[in-house]
Amino acid sequence: MSEALLLSVIQKLDINYRENETNNEMERVMKEMREIMDIVRDKKLEEGRILNFLVSDLVDMADDALDLFISQHKSYGRMSKSIYSWMGEIKKQMLKLGDDGAEMRSSETVEDDKYVVGLDEDVEFLIRKRIIGGAGKSVLIKGMCGIGKTTLAREIYNHPTVVEHFERRAWVSNSTHFTIKELLIKLIQQLEDPQNLHTSSVLENMDNRSLRDMLSQHLRGKRYLIVLDDVPKQMRLKSFLEALPDQYNGSRLLLTSHTTQVDIKVYDANVYYKMKPLDSKKSWQLFMRTINHGNKLTGDHKFPMSLEYMGKQMLRKCDGLPLAIKEVGKHLVEKKLSGGSEWEQLLESVDFGSTLKLLEPFYHKLDPKLESCFLCMAFFKENTTLRAEKLIQIWVTGGAVEDSEDGCGRNLEDLVNESFIDVNDKGTKYHMNVVLHMLSIQKAQEKLGFEMLRNNGNNRPSESRCHHRVVICSRDKFNYSTDQDKHLVSLFFHGGGYMDTRPSYWKNFEQLKILDLEDFGLKILPDTIGTLMELRYLGLRNNYLKDLPQSLGCLEKLEVLDIAQNFMVEIPNIIWEMWSLSHLYMSDVISRKPLKIVGIWFMKTLTYVSVDNWTYDLSDLKFGCLKKLGIEELDGNSDVSKLFASLAELYSLKHLILRGYRFRSMPCLDELRILENVRTLKLDGLLTRLPTSFPPNIESLTLVNSCLDEDPMPLLAEKVGSLKYLKLRNAYTGQQMVMLDDSFPELEVMCIEELWNLRNLQGGKKTMLLLKKLEIHDCPYLDTLPEEIVKKYWFEDLKMVATKSIASKLRNSDLISKIETVNINPMS
């Protein structure tokens, strides 16, 4: 029957396709349907429950595709892409089926409701402002696997206030083969009147359209709460959402997922709530509750509170992930009961193997194009913050992705959406959970030919071919072998900066593309570095280098050179003639000659170059590649008119940083307006006053160490009112800052730091209408916030570091009671 049904659908699509003009998207849908038909035939699948569900979803989607095709709806391309994606997922599920069309189904949810800690505030907020209060129809709880999404949803679902408020409630969890038909059947079974229950067989024999009608009848006129737990992003929910009636009567759809790319936008511009790891205090509470559960530990077996500090240090490896904390606690109890080892020994030898195994389904959900990006996170130190530029350059240079840098930017965004990494508000710094970092190391060792060596004499390179290596150095003698070096593609050094190697060591890397020594404390770069003929990335940031060898000029394929934060390092003139160099990062360098124009023709990033070394005749670079530029050592003697005229010739320039010369005031910057292509601007240095004009298309502005006497807000609101991001650090010395009505209508993020004298921050009723996040750090006299801003419905996030008394006052204030995420900490 399934084969016949699929064949009739394909024929129906084909007839309508031929009667109308050609459409590529429709052709893709038909091709996918035919491939699925071949799978059914080749595997000789018999009629089975799961196959029935999958085919029902296919028929439903084919009808949707046909309707879109006939109507030529303006959103056809986007919606057919959604159809095509879910069809691909159904095809993969069919390939997993046995010859009988059936397979055991099991939930991938790994969260455990037995131990709940630290969710009271989340539950209270979501119920008050999203589930019972608020205007939205749907809420998405988002976060990485094991962070407690299901636990939080369960606490809300069973909360007495929620039980009383909703007339109908239903909960459906994801399974290995999760289909719209299965979803509809499970909901109907929970919502039906007990006296009129349909049998499972009756429901399974109905098509999706009839099931939607039945579900709609059960819900009509009722206020309901439906929870969909662990929703896969490929699942096309449109047809299910059409079955939900009375969308504006206070009914709610609550979903949990590791991704924000769930298909519910057709139903509602949803609100998503991002779950965060537990802090150290809550982590300890959960750990103690886990090991004390059931009172299995008695007498001398109990965890001694004298080891609390050691226990908390161990928990740092869990990085606030509830799943890891519970697993560690349970395994410690099992080992204590079975082996009788001392608690100190147990804490020193904690094994995260079971936790990583539980996280594997999360890893297997990754799109193939993102898997290599995730595996490359193993190269970096755990619990470190990474620059977006560096991540992308490592991915591209090391061949982790066959994509452009712009494409890798989308990969970064996707990893954030999939909850594999976190990002700061400006989208420039990224961080990975420590436990996920362990998983990336494990998988990189399995799939990338990756190894970690500790330079303590206890291990040596593996006998198998290694392509990527991290060397963790100590003060001991550096042991190394040259036999396994010729296959290395990337080499990263972490640790203390002591590297006792002969110059000949660097001649062994015949295929090395990436060499990263950032934060290593390196004092001398050997001249033999020039023998690394395949090198494309050289990271030397934040070391103690005083000069660079002339042999760098031999690195003809070098694309990225990062020597920033090496104070007063002398660079060889040969750098300006390296045609392959695309990204050059410097600061406070000594350069004997100004840069040569031929050297920056293909550059995309150049930070920083002294204004005295800048070449002003750039007429030949109008169509060059330079996107990001940093100019430093600006003072009152700098000819900024000439500088800005030359910068205006750079049509690709989008990001500009201007840095003053130490404690001297920067020159007048009123001519910034001629830089029409600049989108982000950072001014770092003393300003006697703000510029009277700015680039007309600017979206992001950062003022650092400006030390202005006059309130900058009125002029900024007038001149750059279209900003989306504004940061002020040590930028104003006054006591009051006023934001007038209608100012900054598009601003989404505002950060103020080190405004040491600020006592009053005022805002009008229509100030910053779209502001979502406000960060305040080290403003010790600011003890209140503008009510007109923080009480907006859509204001999401407040982060603040203040004195202990002010932090305590604001935490207890009704002013912040409706903000989704509040993080107020005392100054150290």
Side-chain angles (χ1 to χ4, degrees):
M1 179 178 177
S2 294
E3 185 175 339
L5 189 57
L6 282 173
L7 183 60
S8 66
V9 170
I10 292 172
Q11 291 173 344
K12 183 178 178 182
L13 290 172
D14 190 53
I15 291 171
N16 283 275
Y17 173 69
R18 295 180 185 281
E19 289 178 352
N20 294 276
E21 60 184 78
T22 301
N23 185 291
N24 292 333
E25 293 296 332
M26 188 61 174
E27 192 172 1
R28 289 178 69 200
V29 171
M30 292 172 59
K31 180 182 177 182
E32 194 76 1
M33 290 287 288
R34 292 190 182 100
E35 289 181 1
I36 291 172
M37 182 71 174
D38 291 339
I39 293 171
V40 174
R41 285 172 174 165
D42 292 345
K43 298 193 72 171
K44 298 181 175 59
L45 294 179
E46 299 176 3
E47 293 304 314
R49 184 169 178 270
I50 298 173
L51 181 62
N52 177 9
F53 289 177
L54 294 171
V55 170
S56 292
D57 275 18
L58 280 171
V59 172
D60 217 22
M61 283 187 293
D63 287 340
D64 274 355
L66 187 58
D67 290 343
L68 286 170
F69 178 64
I70 293 173
S71 66
Q72 290 293 306
H73 194 277
K74 63 180 180 179
S75 61
Y76 180 87
R78 175 177 59 82
M79 298 184 76
S80 62
K81 183 179 179 181
S82 169
I83 293 172
Y84 186 78
S85 174
W86 185 235
M87 289 177 71
E89 183 65 22
I90 288 178
K91 182 167 71 172
K92 285 194 294 185
Q93 292 188 31
M94 283 189 170
L95 287 169
K96 293 178 183 179
L97 293 176
D99 291 338
D100 61 351
E103 184 183 276
M104 292 295 292
R105 303 201 315 275
S106 61
S107 173
E108 293 181 354
T109 300
V110 298
E111 295 170 4
D112 188 347
D113 292 349
K114 286 192 292 185
Y115 321 110
V116 179
V117 168
L119 293 180
D120 292 345
E121 293 179 2
D122 304 80
V123 171
E124 193 273 336
F125 172 82
L126 283 170
I127 290 176
R128 176 170 49 84
K129 195 168 182 180
R130 295 288 187 259
I131 303 300
I132 293 179
K137 296 172 288 183
S138 61
V139 180
L140 172 64
I141 299 175
K142 181 235 184 185
M144 66 173 285
C145 183
I147 203 165
K149 303 182 296 295
T150 299
T151 303
L152 176 57
R154 184 68 68 181
E155 290 289 299
I156 292 170
Y157 185 78
N158 292 325
H159 195 280
T161 303
V162 171
V163 173
E164 181 180 356
H165 182 77
F166 291 100
E167 300 170 76
R168 292 283 189 274
R169 291 181 306 131
W171 177 294
V172 178
S173 293
N174 182 16
S175 59
T176 303
H177 296 290
F178 198 41
T179 63
I180 296 297
K181 182 163 187 174
E182 180 184 17
L183 171 61
L184 292 168
I185 290 174
K186 286 184 176 181
L187 287 174
I188 290 170
Q189 289 175 332
Q190 292 181 59
L191 295 168
E192 273 192 316
D193 188 327
Q195 296 180 351
N196 300 311
L197 283 175
H198 288 78
T199 64
S200 296
S201 59
V202 170
L203 295 175
E204 289 171 14
N205 287 325
M206 297 172 66
D207 60 24
N208 285 21
R209 188 183 299 273
S210 300
L211 290 171
R212 285 199 300 271
D213 291 342
M214 182 179 291
L215 176 62
S216 184
Q217 291 175 9
H218 290 317
L219 294 175
R220 188 166 290 113
K222 308 292 184 182
R223 186 165 58 230
Y224 54 86
L225 170 66
I226 292 176
V227 179
L228 306 184
D229 183 33
D230 194 20
V231 180
K233 74 173 184 179
Q234 300 92 344
M235 190 171 196
R236 191 166 188 267
L237 292 171
K238 177 179 177 292
S239 61
F240 158 70
L241 297 171
E242 290 174 348
L244 302 181
D246 304 319
Q247 299 173 3
Y248 297 97
N249 70 345
S251 296
R252 292 290 185 272
L253 177 64
L254 176 63
L255 306 96
T256 74
S257 181
H258 65 280
T259 177
T260 54
Q261 298 175 326
V262 177
D263 181 32
I264 56 174
K265 291 182 179 179
V266 292
Y267 174 66
D268 185 19
N270 66 292
V271 175
Y272 81 85
Y273 187 82
K274 180 182 176 182
M275 292 200 68
K276 296 183 178 181
L278 301 177
D279 60 26
S280 58
K281 181 179 178 181
K282 292 174 182 176
S283 295
W284 181 250
Q285 290 174 353
L286 180 58
F287 174 70
M288 292 303 295
R289 187 169 297 183
T290 303
I291 64 174
N292 290 328
H293 179 73
N295 296 317
K296 293 180 180 179
L297 298 175
T298 60
D300 294 339
H301 281 15
K302 283 190 174 181
F303 187 88
M305 294 312 297
S306 60
L307 295 180
E308 180 176 348
Y309 176 77
M310 187 177 180
K312 288 182 176 179
Q313 290 297 107
M314 178 275 298
L315 283 181
R316 293 176 64 179
K317 286 282 188 181
C318 298
D319 205 10
L321 186 66
L323 171 68
I325 296 169
K326 294 173 186 177
E327 280 297 303
V328 165
K330 287 188 288 186
H331 279 274
L332 286 174
V333 170
E334 290 171 4
K335 287 186 177 182
K336 184 63 179 176
L337 291 173
S338 61
S341 302
E342 295 297 327
W343 278 108
E344 292 93 331
Q345 295 174 306
L346 294 174
L347 292 174
E348 288 173 352
S349 59
V350 171
D351 181 12
F352 284 85
S354 63
T355 303
L356 299 184
K357 189 172 183 179
L358 288 171
L359 286 175
E360 285 219 18
F362 184 51
Y363 162 73
H364 290 305
K365 291 178 183 179
L366 261 178
D367 289 341
K369 68 175 183 177
L370 299 179
E371 183 180 3
S372 294
C373 297
F374 171 72
L375 297 179
C376 286
M377 298 302 289
F379 303 161
F380 306 104
K381 298 176 184 177
E382 72 173 30
N383 205 23
T384 191
T385 300
L386 296 163
R387 301 182 305 280
E389 292 171 326
K390 180 173 182 176
L391 273 174
I392 290 172
Q393 288 158 7
I394 294 295
W395 291 344
V396 174
T397 307
V401 290
E402 297 179 1
D403 209 338
S404 64
E405 291 181 14
D406 291 338
C408 284
R410 290 190 292 274
N411 287 357
L412 260 178
E413 183 180 341
D414 288 342
L415 282 174
V416 172
N417 289 334
E418 299 278 327
S419 303
F420 278 86
I421 55 177
D422 289 321
V423 62
N424 68 355
D425 295 325
K426 204 173 181 182
T428 56
K429 299 290 181 65
Y430 293 82
H431 173 265
M432 174 173 275
N433 182 276
V434 172
V435 184
L436 272 182
H437 185 256
M438 294 181 201
L439 183 63
S440 72
I441 292 174
Q442 182 188 86
K443 293 302 176 183
Q445 290 170 336
E446 295 174 4
K447 299 195 172 187
L448 288 186
F450 170 72
E451 67 179 8
M452 295 186 72
L453 296 181
R454 296 189 178 273
N455 180 29
N456 55 15
N458 295 328
N459 56 17
R460 299 178 64 83
S462 63
E463 295 300 324
S464 59
R465 180 174 296 187
C466 174
H467 296 289
H468 308 277
R469 180 184 297 160
V470 167
V471 180
I472 302 176
C473 289
S474 66
R475 292 292 178 180
D476 299 322
K477 185 177 180 180
F478 183 48
N479 294 307
Y480 59 90
S481 168
T482 61
D483 297 335
Q484 301 298 323
D485 294 339
K486 62 182 180 180
H487 302 296
L488 277 180
V489 175
S490 63
L491 178 60
F492 292 76
F493 283 86
H494 302 166
Y498 182 74
M499 189 189 301
D500 181 19
T501 62
R502 295 186 297 273
S504 60
Y505 171 71
W506 299 104
K507 296 181 180 180
N508 303 311
F509 304 102
E510 299 176 4
Q511 299 180 31
L512 194 67
K513 294 182 180 180
I514 299 171
L515 175 59
D516 188 47
L517 290 144
E518 183 171 337
D519 301 327
F520 192 67
L522 194 67
K523 295 181 179 180
I524 298 175
L525 189 66
D527 191 66
T528 47
I529 200 77
T531 62
L532 303 177
M533 302 303 295
E534 296 297 319
L535 201 64
R536 289 171 168 79
Y537 180 100
L538 179 56
L540 301 169
R541 180 179 291 242
N542 194 27
N543 281 287
Y544 300 108
L545 297 171
K546 293 299 181 183
D547 54 49
L548 299 178
Q550 195 78 12
S551 64
L552 277 181
C554 299
L555 304 179
E556 297 180 354
K557 296 182 179 181
L558 193 67
E559 299 170 3
V560 181
L561 175 60
D562 189 348
I563 56 172
Q565 299 176 30
N566 286 274
F567 184 66
M568 300 306 290
V569 60
E570 183 173 347
I571 60 171
N573 296 329
I574 197 70
I575 281 183
W576 307 124
E577 298 177 1
M578 299 173 68
W579 283 81
S580 295
L581 205 57
S582 296
H583 305 278
L584 176 57
Y585 302 92
M586 309 181 293
S587 57
D588 298 313
V589 300
I590 300 172
S591 179
R592 299 300 180 187
K593 294 181 180 180
L595 63 86
K596 297 179 182 179
I597 195 168
V598 295
I600 62 172
W601 175 262
F602 295 107
M603 278 193 189
K604 297 178 181 179
T605 305
L606 176 57
T607 62
Y608 289 85
V609 60
S610 169
V611 67
D612 295 328
N613 287 331
W614 181 252
T615 298
Y616 293 102
D617 183 11
L618 301 178
S619 56
D620 292 335
L621 283 182
K622 283 185 178 181
F623 302 102
C625 303
L626 198 63
K627 295 181 179 181
K628 182 176 181 178
L629 174 65
I631 301 286
E632 64 181 358
E633 299 183 353
L634 289 163
D635 62 14
N637 297 319
S638 303
D639 189 345
V640 290
S641 295
K642 191 175 179 181
L643 172 66
F644 291 160
S646 69
L647 298 183
E649 299 289 334
L650 302 175
Y651 290 174
S652 297
L653 187 63
K654 296 292 187 294
H655 313 284
L656 178 63
I657 307 169
L658 300 177
R659 178 186 286 176
Y661 185 79
R662 299 183 185 176
F663 300 107
R664 300 178 189 176
S665 291
M666 295 177 69
C668 174
L669 303 175
D670 290 344
E671 296 180 54
L672 279 167
R673 64 181 178 275
I674 69 172
L675 305 180
E676 297 183 356
N677 297 316
V678 170
R679 297 293 188 272
T680 68
L681 175 65
K682 179 178 180 179
L683 303 179
D684 184 353
L686 287 171
L687 293 173
T688 55
R689 63 173 177 81
L690 277 176
T692 56
S693 69
F694 289 85
N697 296 307
I698 187 174
E699 297 176 352
S700 171
L701 175 63
T702 301
L703 300 178
V704 179
N705 298 323
S706 306
C707 299
L708 295 162
D709 296 327
E710 185 177 349
D711 181 1
M713 286 305 186
L715 183 59
L716 290 177
E718 178 185 351
K719 301 298 182 181
V720 284
S722 60
L723 285 178
K724 294 182 179 180
Y725 178 93
L726 175 62
K727 181 175 181 177
L728 306 175
R729 178 159 67 85
N730 192 25
Y732 173 51
T733 60
Q735 298 184 9
Q736 179 169 289
M737 203 154 62
V738 179
M739 294 161 285
L740 304 176
D741 262 358
D742 300 317
S743 59
F744 304 106
E746 298 179 34
L747 195 69
E748 297 178 3
V749 179
M750 178 177 175
C751 305
I752 57 176
E753 300 177 6
E754 300 176 20
L755 303 189
W756 303 107
N757 300 320
L758 186 65
R759 297 173 182 270
N760 189 12
L761 183 63
Q762 295 183 10
K765 291 183 179 179
K766 296 182 180 179
T767 300
M768 303 181 182
L769 287 174
L770 298 181
L771 191 71
K772 296 179 180 178
K773 299 183 180 181
L774 175 63
E775 292 192 21
I776 302 173
H777 299 276
D778 299 325
C779 299
Y781 297 108
L782 185 63
D783 62 356
T784 188
L785 300 171
E787 182 175 345
E788 297 83 359
I789 293 176
V790 297
K791 284 201 169 183
K792 289 184 173 69
Y793 170 76
W794 47 86
F795 187 78
E796 298 175 355
D797 197 349
L798 171 65
K799 296 179 181 177
M800 192 166 182
V801 176
T803 64
K804 289 184 179 180
S805 59
I806 292 175
S808 177
K809 174 184 175 181
L810 289 174
R811 281 198 206 102
N812 298 321
S813 170
D814 180 62
L815 190 64
I816 64 171
S817 60
K818 294 184 179 180
I819 302 175
E820 181 170 311
T821 305
V822 176
N823 190 356
I824 301 178
N825 296 313
M827 297 170 63
S828 56

